[in-house]
Amino acid sequence: MFTFKKNKTNNVIDYTRLPTHIGVIMDGNGRWAKKRGLPRSAGHSAGADTLKKIVTECNKMGIKYITVYAFSTENWKRPKEEVDYLMNLLMSYLKDSERTLSGENVVIKAIGIREELSDELQEQIKKTEKFTQNNTGIIMNIALNYGAREEIVRAAKEIAREAAEKKIDINDINADTISSHLYTKNQPDPDFIIRTSGEERLSNFLLWQAAYSELWFCDKLWPDFTIKDLHRSIIDFQARGRRFGGV
Ligand code: FPP
């Protein structure tokens, strides 16, 4: 049975063909703040509010997974004040999520190099993951101190270790072996990746998993991204023919 929902452009979302896993590169917080004469931190704070709205809507729509790029392994190069602000924002976002997103049945996980985060943030991540683990709604991966090349290197080291310990045979290593050693193991690859702010690149986000993802770019800055924009992106996604290298 097909269910359609009308939107303002008169196009419709086909709820039987939603993307299973959406990746989001939430870009443009700094420019959003600059345009308003505000500190960059105000852009990140507005970006966090947008994120909450978008995750809530994805969950309502029935999308199963969302992975959001919150802090890359390269973001440490930003001024200390901005890094500190982002870390505090992440901390309060996670704490707050126990009340808000978890109330919406969202499962929250963090992906990335945890050991380099402060002890307090590591503790909070564990606590939030545990608090939300039995929820049954959308699974939200927060990419935090995440870099795809590091993720692949880490997987390669683990596989090499297992081969050295004779737990796996080198001849049996295939693409599934790599996938099952990534942070996103047991999850489907993203079929759709959104990036805001007019930049059109992946910036070390889910490089392995994005092999067949449809990419969607828009000029809007992340804090300005709306539920209507999300719907428009999904309508565009559904209009594309996904062939996975076939004809
Ligand atoms: C890119 O914008 C955005 C980031 C580096 C951080 C993304 C963080 C958030 C949306 C809010 C916090 C997230 C959570 C999960 C609480 P930019 O700063 O590079 O913007 P610019 O390119 O305009 O300078």
Side-chain angles (χ1 to χ4, degrees):
M1 150 121 167
F2 288 85
T3 38
F4 292 110
K5 183 176 171 184
K6 280 237 176 276
N7 79 2
K8 286 242 164 76
T9 59
N10 248 356
N11 289 320
V12 286
I13 292 176
D14 176 351
Y15 279 79
T16 64
R17 291 194 306 117
L18 291 170
T20 305
H21 184 168
I22 301 188
V24 188
I25 304 177
M26 310 178 285
D27 200 6
N29 296 346
R31 277 163 283 167
W32 183 91
K34 195 171 173 204
K35 261 174 56 182
R36 288 163 177 75
L38 297 169
R40 292 177 61 81
S41 54
H44 295 313
S45 170
D49 292 342
T50 298
L51 177 59
K52 219 165 278 168
K53 279 185 228 151
I54 296 300
V55 173
T56 305
E57 177 61 15
C58 286
N59 187 40
K60 282 200 185 119
M61 292 177 80
I63 290 163
K64 302 285 182 229
Y65 299 85
I66 183 167
T67 300
V68 298
Y69 210 1
F71 192 89
S72 77
T73 45
E74 285 76 36
N75 285 155
W76 296 107
K77 291 182 210 140
R78 295 189 176 206
K80 182 176 180 310
E81 197 185 287
E82 185 175 349
V83 170
D84 287 349
Y85 185 87
L86 274 168
M87 291 298 151
N88 285 331
L89 183 63
L90 282 157
M91 185 83 172
S92 49
Y93 190 91
L94 290 170
K95 274 189 193 158
D96 190 50
S97 291
E98 292 181 8
R99 194 171 46 79
T100 55
L101 290 177
S102 181
E104 300 276 346
N105 210 13
V106 176
V107 179
I108 299 176
K109 296 174 189 279
I111 60 170
I113 319 170
R114 293 188 188 201
E115 311 81 65
E116 291 177 3
L117 301 171
S118 71
D119 291 346
E120 292 84 352
L121 190 50
Q122 289 187 50
E123 270 312 302
Q124 184 60 48
I125 289 170
K126 260 196 243 159
K127 198 163 162 266
T128 305
E129 285 182 335
K130 191 153 179 247
F131 193 86
T132 63
Q133 70 185 356
N134 294 324
N135 286 346
T136 53
I138 194 168
I139 296 178
M140 176 193 197
N141 298 314
I142 303 180
L144 179 46
N145 196 19
Y146 172 87
R149 287 185 170 180
E150 181 279 331
E151 178 184 35
I152 295 166
V153 168
R154 188 174 157 277
K157 283 184 184 163
E158 264 179 41
I159 295 166
R161 209 172 293 125
E162 287 168 24
E165 289 166 5
K166 306 242 179 298
K167 288 185 185 149
I168 48 174
D169 187 324
I170 289 177
N171 295 311
D172 292 337
I173 296 173
N174 57 25
D176 288 340
T177 319
I178 310 277
S179 296
S180 66
H181 286 77
L182 299 176
Y183 295 122
T184 51
K185 60 174 160 269
N186 302 326
Q187 298 187 5
D189 288 338
D191 33 8
F192 190 39
I193 294 181
I194 294 172
R195 181 171 190 156
T196 55
S197 93
E199 310 290 343
E200 301 192 352
R201 55 180 175 273
L202 283 175
S203 301
N204 206 14
F205 182 60
L206 303 178
L207 295 184
W208 176 272
Q209 298 90 328
Y212 289 101
S213 306
E214 294 293 331
L215 308 180
W216 192 86
F217 303 104
C218 72
D219 287 337
K220 276 212 181 168
L221 305 173
W222 174 250
D224 290 329
F225 193 78
T226 62
I227 288 174
K228 215 198 277 180
D229 295 322
L230 173 73
H231 290 173
R232 187 166 59 91
S233 75
I234 292 174
I235 288 166
D236 285 354
F237 168 82
Q238 294 181 334
R240 297 186 190 179
R242 307 190 73 223
R243 293 189 306 278
F244 302 95
V247 285

